mmCIF file with all atom_site columns, all heavy atoms in Angstrom:
data_model
loop_
_atom_site.group_PDB
_atom_site.id
_atom_site.type_symbol
_atom_site.label_atom_id
_atom_site.label_alt_id
_atom_site.label_comp_id
_atom_site.label_asym_id
_atom_site.label_entity_id
_atom_site.label_seq_id
_atom_site.pdbx_PDB_ins_code
_atom_site.Cartn_x
_atom_site.Cartn_y
_atom_site.Cartn_z
_atom_site.occupancy
_atom_site.B_iso_or_equiv
_atom_site.pdbx_formal_charge
_atom_site.auth_seq_id
_atom_site.auth_comp_id
_atom_site.auth_asym_id
_atom_site.auth_atom_id
_atom_site.pdbx_PDB_model_num
ATOM 1   N N   . ASP A 1 233 ? 9.660   14.117 9.506  1.00 97.00 ? 233 ASP A N   1
ATOM 2   C CA  . ASP A 1 233 ? 9.898   15.322 10.292 1.00 97.00 ? 233 ASP A CA  1
ATOM 3   C C   . ASP A 1 233 ? 8.840   15.504 11.386 1.00 97.00 ? 233 ASP A C   1
ATOM 4   O O   . ASP A 1 233 ? 7.793   14.861 11.386 1.00 97.00 ? 233 ASP A O   1
ATOM 5   C CB  . ASP A 1 233 ? 10.086  16.558 9.411  1.00 97.00 ? 233 ASP A CB  1
ATOM 6   C CG  . ASP A 1 233 ? 8.842   16.937 8.657  1.00 97.00 ? 233 ASP A CG  1
ATOM 7   O OD1 . ASP A 1 233 ? 7.805   17.149 9.309  1.00 97.00 ? 233 ASP A OD1 1
ATOM 8   O OD2 . ASP A 1 233 ? 8.916   17.023 7.420  1.00 97.00 ? 233 ASP A OD2 1
ATOM 9   N N   . ALA A 1 234 ? 9.169   16.367 12.328 1.00 98.00 ? 234 ALA A N   1
ATOM 10  C CA  . ALA A 1 234 ? 8.333   16.517 13.524 1.00 98.00 ? 234 ALA A CA  1
ATOM 11  C C   . ALA A 1 234 ? 6.902   16.944 13.179 1.00 98.00 ? 234 ALA A C   1
ATOM 12  O O   . ALA A 1 234 ? 5.937   16.453 13.782 1.00 98.00 ? 234 ALA A O   1
ATOM 13  C CB  . ALA A 1 234 ? 8.975   17.522 14.477 1.00 98.00 ? 234 ALA A CB  1
ATOM 14  N N   . LEU A 1 235 ? 6.754   17.830 12.187 1.00 98.00 ? 235 LEU A N   1
ATOM 15  C CA  . LEU A 1 235 ? 5.408   18.274 11.806 1.00 98.00 ? 235 LEU A CA  1
ATOM 16  C C   . LEU A 1 235 ? 4.566   17.101 11.313 1.00 98.00 ? 235 LEU A C   1
ATOM 17  O O   . LEU A 1 235 ? 3.410   16.923 11.719 1.00 98.00 ? 235 LEU A O   1
ATOM 18  C CB  . LEU A 1 235 ? 5.485   19.336 10.697 1.00 98.00 ? 235 LEU A CB  1
ATOM 19  C CG  . LEU A 1 235 ? 5.965   20.726 11.100 1.00 98.00 ? 235 LEU A CG  1
ATOM 20  C CD1 . LEU A 1 235 ? 6.196   21.582 9.858  1.00 98.00 ? 235 LEU A CD1 1
ATOM 21  C CD2 . LEU A 1 235 ? 4.952   21.393 12.024 1.00 98.00 ? 235 LEU A CD2 1
ATOM 22  N N   . GLN A 1 236 ? 5.156   16.289 10.449 1.00 98.00 ? 236 GLN A N   1
ATOM 23  C CA  . GLN A 1 236 ? 4.398   15.141 9.919  1.00 98.00 ? 236 GLN A CA  1
ATOM 24  C C   . GLN A 1 236 ? 4.087   14.137 11.025 1.00 98.00 ? 236 GLN A C   1
ATOM 25  O O   . GLN A 1 236 ? 3.005   13.548 11.057 1.00 98.00 ? 236 GLN A O   1
ATOM 26  C CB  . GLN A 1 236 ? 5.170   14.460 8.775  1.00 98.00 ? 236 GLN A CB  1
ATOM 27  C CG  . GLN A 1 236 ? 5.454   15.346 7.580  1.00 98.00 ? 236 GLN A CG  1
ATOM 28  C CD  . GLN A 1 236 ? 4.201   15.963 6.974  1.00 98.00 ? 236 GLN A CD  1
ATOM 29  O OE1 . GLN A 1 236 ? 3.076   15.488 7.171  1.00 98.00 ? 236 GLN A OE1 1
ATOM 30  N NE2 . GLN A 1 236 ? 4.383   17.038 6.231  1.00 98.00 ? 236 GLN A NE2 1
ATOM 31  N N   . ALA A 1 237 ? 5.051   13.930 11.927 1.00 98.00 ? 237 ALA A N   1
ATOM 32  C CA  . ALA A 1 237 ? 4.822   12.972 13.024 1.00 98.00 ? 237 ALA A CA  1
ATOM 33  C C   . ALA A 1 237 ? 3.651   13.428 13.895 1.00 98.00 ? 237 ALA A C   1
ATOM 34  O O   . ALA A 1 237 ? 2.801   12.621 14.288 1.00 98.00 ? 237 ALA A O   1
ATOM 35  C CB  . ALA A 1 237 ? 6.091   12.823 13.864 1.00 98.00 ? 237 ALA A CB  1
ATOM 36  N N   . ALA A 1 238 ? 3.596   14.722 14.188 1.00 98.00 ? 238 ALA A N   1
ATOM 37  C CA  . ALA A 1 238 ? 2.517   15.241 15.038 1.00 98.00 ? 238 ALA A CA  1
ATOM 38  C C   . ALA A 1 238 ? 1.164   15.100 14.332 1.00 98.00 ? 238 ALA A C   1
ATOM 39  O O   . ALA A 1 238 ? 0.153   14.738 14.945 1.00 98.00 ? 238 ALA A O   1
ATOM 40  C CB  . ALA A 1 238 ? 2.787   16.701 15.383 1.00 98.00 ? 238 ALA A CB  1
ATOM 41  N N   . ILE A 1 239 ? 1.150   15.352 13.020 1.00 98.00 ? 239 ILE A N   1
ATOM 42  C CA  . ILE A 1 239 ? -0.099  15.219 12.249 1.00 98.00 ? 239 ILE A CA  1
ATOM 43  C C   . ILE A 1 239 ? -0.526  13.750 12.202 1.00 98.00 ? 239 ILE A C   1
ATOM 44  O O   . ILE A 1 239 ? -1.699  13.413 12.387 1.00 98.00 ? 239 ILE A O   1
ATOM 45  C CB  . ILE A 1 239 ? 0.091   15.804 10.826 1.00 98.00 ? 239 ILE A CB  1
ATOM 46  C CG1 . ILE A 1 239 ? 0.286   17.323 10.913 1.00 98.00 ? 239 ILE A CG1 1
ATOM 47  C CG2 . ILE A 1 239 ? -1.100  15.455 9.936  1.00 98.00 ? 239 ILE A CG2 1
ATOM 48  C CD1 . ILE A 1 239 ? 0.768   17.968 9.615  1.00 98.00 ? 239 ILE A CD1 1
ATOM 49  N N   . LEU A 1 240 ? 0.453   12.872 12.012 1.00 98.00 ? 240 LEU A N   1
ATOM 50  C CA  . LEU A 1 240 ? 0.138   11.435 11.950 1.00 98.00 ? 240 LEU A CA  1
ATOM 51  C C   . LEU A 1 240 ? -0.398  10.910 13.283 1.00 98.00 ? 240 LEU A C   1
ATOM 52  O O   . LEU A 1 240 ? -1.280  10.044 13.305 1.00 98.00 ? 240 LEU A O   1
ATOM 53  C CB  . LEU A 1 240 ? 1.368   10.635 11.523 1.00 98.00 ? 240 LEU A CB  1
ATOM 54  C CG  . LEU A 1 240 ? 1.711   10.754 10.025 1.00 98.00 ? 240 LEU A CG  1
ATOM 55  C CD1 . LEU A 1 240 ? 3.124   10.253 9.746  1.00 98.00 ? 240 LEU A CD1 1
ATOM 56  C CD2 . LEU A 1 240 ? 0.694   9.980  9.181  1.00 98.00 ? 240 LEU A CD2 1
ATOM 57  N N   . ALA A 1 241 ? 0.128   11.429 14.387 1.00 98.00 ? 241 ALA A N   1
ATOM 58  C CA  . ALA A 1 241 ? -0.359  10.983 15.698 1.00 98.00 ? 241 ALA A CA  1
ATOM 59  C C   . ALA A 1 241 ? -1.846  11.330 15.841 1.00 98.00 ? 241 ALA A C   1
ATOM 60  O O   . ALA A 1 241 ? -2.633  10.532 16.356 1.00 98.00 ? 241 ALA A O   1
ATOM 61  C CB  . ALA A 1 241 ? 0.459   11.618 16.812 1.00 98.00 ? 241 ALA A CB  1
ATOM 62  N N   . ILE A 1 242 ? -2.234  12.503 15.360 1.00 98.00 ? 242 ILE A N   1
ATOM 63  C CA  . ILE A 1 242 ? -3.654  12.886 15.404 1.00 98.00 ? 242 ILE A CA  1
ATOM 64  C C   . ILE A 1 242 ? -4.462  11.950 14.500 1.00 98.00 ? 242 ILE A C   1
ATOM 65  O O   . ILE A 1 242 ? -5.484  11.396 14.897 1.00 98.00 ? 242 ILE A O   1
ATOM 66  C CB  . ILE A 1 242 ? -3.836  14.353 14.954 1.00 98.00 ? 242 ILE A CB  1
ATOM 67  C CG1 . ILE A 1 242 ? -3.177  15.289 15.969 1.00 98.00 ? 242 ILE A CG1 1
ATOM 68  C CG2 . ILE A 1 242 ? -5.311  14.697 14.764 1.00 98.00 ? 242 ILE A CG2 1
ATOM 69  C CD1 . ILE A 1 242 ? -2.998  16.722 15.471 1.00 98.00 ? 242 ILE A CD1 1
ATOM 70  N N   . LYS A 1 243 ? -3.959  11.757 13.287 1.00 98.00 ? 243 LYS A N   1
ATOM 71  C CA  . LYS A 1 243 ? -4.724  10.929 12.341 1.00 98.00 ? 243 LYS A CA  1
ATOM 72  C C   . LYS A 1 243 ? -4.817  9.471  12.787 1.00 98.00 ? 243 LYS A C   1
ATOM 73  O O   . LYS A 1 243 ? -5.819  8.804  12.505 1.00 98.00 ? 243 LYS A O   1
ATOM 74  C CB  . LYS A 1 243 ? -4.090  11.020 10.953 1.00 98.00 ? 243 LYS A CB  1
ATOM 75  C CG  . LYS A 1 243 ? -4.277  12.384 10.289 1.00 98.00 ? 243 LYS A CG  1
ATOM 76  C CD  . LYS A 1 243 ? -4.127  12.203 8.805  1.00 98.00 ? 243 LYS A CD  1
ATOM 77  C CE  . LYS A 1 243 ? -4.258  13.485 8.033  1.00 98.00 ? 243 LYS A CE  1
ATOM 78  N NZ  . LYS A 1 243 ? -4.284  13.195 6.577  1.00 98.00 ? 243 LYS A NZ  1
ATOM 79  N N   . LEU A 1 244 ? -3.769  8.984  13.475 1.00 98.00 ? 244 LEU A N   1
ATOM 80  C CA  . LEU A 1 244 ? -3.802  7.590  13.942 1.00 98.00 ? 244 LEU A CA  1
ATOM 81  C C   . LEU A 1 244 ? -4.993  7.360  14.872 1.00 98.00 ? 244 LEU A C   1
ATOM 82  O O   . LEU A 1 244 ? -5.602  6.284  14.854 1.00 98.00 ? 244 LEU A O   1
ATOM 83  C CB  . LEU A 1 244 ? -2.477  7.244  14.650 1.00 98.00 ? 244 LEU A CB  1
ATOM 84  C CG  . LEU A 1 244 ? -2.343  5.831  15.208 1.00 98.00 ? 244 LEU A CG  1
ATOM 85  C CD1 . LEU A 1 244 ? -2.483  4.778  14.100 1.00 98.00 ? 244 LEU A CD1 1
ATOM 86  C CD2 . LEU A 1 244 ? -0.994  5.655  15.922 1.00 98.00 ? 244 LEU A CD2 1
ATOM 87  N N   . SER A 1 245 ? -5.357  8.386  15.634 1.00 98.00 ? 245 SER A N   1
ATOM 88  C CA  . SER A 1 245 ? -6.478  8.206  16.556 1.00 98.00 ? 245 SER A CA  1
ATOM 89  C C   . SER A 1 245 ? -7.818  8.082  15.816 1.00 98.00 ? 245 SER A C   1
ATOM 90  O O   . SER A 1 245 ? -8.809  7.669  16.394 1.00 98.00 ? 245 SER A O   1
ATOM 91  C CB  . SER A 1 245 ? -6.517  9.339  17.590 1.00 98.00 ? 245 SER A CB  1
ATOM 92  O OG  . SER A 1 245 ? -6.838  10.555 16.947 1.00 98.00 ? 245 SER A OG  1
ATOM 93  N N   . TYR A 1 246 ? -7.844  8.455  14.557 1.00 98.00 ? 246 TYR A N   1
ATOM 94  C CA  . TYR A 1 246 ? -9.070  8.316  13.748 1.00 98.00 ? 246 TYR A CA  1
ATOM 95  C C   . TYR A 1 246 ? -9.037  7.104  12.813 1.00 98.00 ? 246 TYR A C   1
ATOM 96  O O   . TYR A 1 246 ? -10.007 6.827  12.118 1.00 98.00 ? 246 TYR A O   1
ATOM 97  C CB  . TYR A 1 246 ? -9.286  9.555  12.860 1.00 98.00 ? 246 TYR A CB  1
ATOM 98  C CG  . TYR A 1 246 ? -9.635  10.813 13.620 1.00 98.00 ? 246 TYR A CG  1
ATOM 99  C CD1 . TYR A 1 246 ? -8.647  11.689 14.032 1.00 98.00 ? 246 TYR A CD1 1
ATOM 100 C CD2 . TYR A 1 246 ? -10.972 11.121 13.907 1.00 98.00 ? 246 TYR A CD2 1
ATOM 101 C CE1 . TYR A 1 246 ? -8.966  12.857 14.715 1.00 98.00 ? 246 TYR A CE1 1
ATOM 102 C CE2 . TYR A 1 246 ? -11.301 12.282 14.592 1.00 98.00 ? 246 TYR A CE2 1
ATOM 103 C CZ  . TYR A 1 246 ? -10.283 13.146 14.995 1.00 98.00 ? 246 TYR A CZ  1
ATOM 104 O OH  . TYR A 1 246 ? -10.613 14.285 15.666 1.00 98.00 ? 246 TYR A OH  1
ATOM 105 N N   . LEU A 1 247 ? -7.883  6.419  12.761 1.00 98.00 ? 247 LEU A N   1
ATOM 106 C CA  . LEU A 1 247 ? -7.705  5.423  11.697 1.00 98.00 ? 247 LEU A CA  1
ATOM 107 C C   . LEU A 1 247 ? -8.789  4.337  11.709 1.00 98.00 ? 247 LEU A C   1
ATOM 108 O O   . LEU A 1 247 ? -9.366  4.022  10.667 1.00 98.00 ? 247 LEU A O   1
ATOM 109 C CB  . LEU A 1 247 ? -6.301  4.790  11.781 1.00 98.00 ? 247 LEU A CB  1
ATOM 110 C CG  . LEU A 1 247 ? -5.983  3.744  10.707 1.00 98.00 ? 247 LEU A CG  1
ATOM 111 C CD1 . LEU A 1 247 ? -6.049  4.338  9.304  1.00 98.00 ? 247 LEU A CD1 1
ATOM 112 C CD2 . LEU A 1 247 ? -4.600  3.125  10.948 1.00 98.00 ? 247 LEU A CD2 1
ATOM 113 N N   . ASP A 1 248 ? -9.077  3.783  12.892 1.00 98.00 ? 248 ASP A N   1
ATOM 114 C CA  . ASP A 1 248 ? -10.069 2.702  12.935 1.00 98.00 ? 248 ASP A CA  1
ATOM 115 C C   . ASP A 1 248 ? -11.448 3.194  12.481 1.00 98.00 ? 248 ASP A C   1
ATOM 116 O O   . ASP A 1 248 ? -12.153 2.504  11.747 1.00 98.00 ? 248 ASP A O   1
ATOM 117 C CB  . ASP A 1 248 ? -10.162 2.112  14.345 1.00 98.00 ? 248 ASP A CB  1
ATOM 118 C CG  . ASP A 1 248 ? -8.971  1.208  14.663 1.00 98.00 ? 248 ASP A CG  1
ATOM 119 O OD1 . ASP A 1 248 ? -8.276  0.776  13.716 1.00 98.00 ? 248 ASP A OD1 1
ATOM 120 O OD2 . ASP A 1 248 ? -8.735  0.944  15.864 1.00 98.00 ? 248 ASP A OD2 1
ATOM 121 N N   . GLN A 1 249 ? -11.787 4.398  12.934 1.00 98.00 ? 249 GLN A N   1
ATOM 122 C CA  . GLN A 1 249 ? -13.077 4.984  12.556 1.00 98.00 ? 249 GLN A CA  1
ATOM 123 C C   . GLN A 1 249 ? -13.141 5.197  11.034 1.00 98.00 ? 249 GLN A C   1
ATOM 124 O O   . GLN A 1 249 ? -14.142 4.881  10.378 1.00 98.00 ? 249 GLN A O   1
ATOM 125 C CB  . GLN A 1 249 ? -13.168 6.302  13.319 1.00 98.00 ? 249 GLN A CB  1
ATOM 126 C CG  . GLN A 1 249 ? -14.331 7.186  13.089 1.00 98.00 ? 249 GLN A CG  1
ATOM 127 C CD  . GLN A 1 249 ? -14.129 8.520  13.862 1.00 98.00 ? 249 GLN A CD  1
ATOM 128 O OE1 . GLN A 1 249 ? -13.542 8.540  14.959 1.00 98.00 ? 249 GLN A OE1 1
ATOM 129 N NE2 . GLN A 1 249 ? -14.601 9.611  13.289 1.00 98.00 ? 249 GLN A NE2 1
#
Side-chain angles (χ1 to χ4, degrees):
D233 66 56
L235 287 171
Q236 299 304 340
I239 293 168
L240 285 165
I242 294 166
K243 290 202 181 188
L244 180 60
S245 68
Y246 291 92
L247 181 61
D248 284 342
Q249 176 186 326

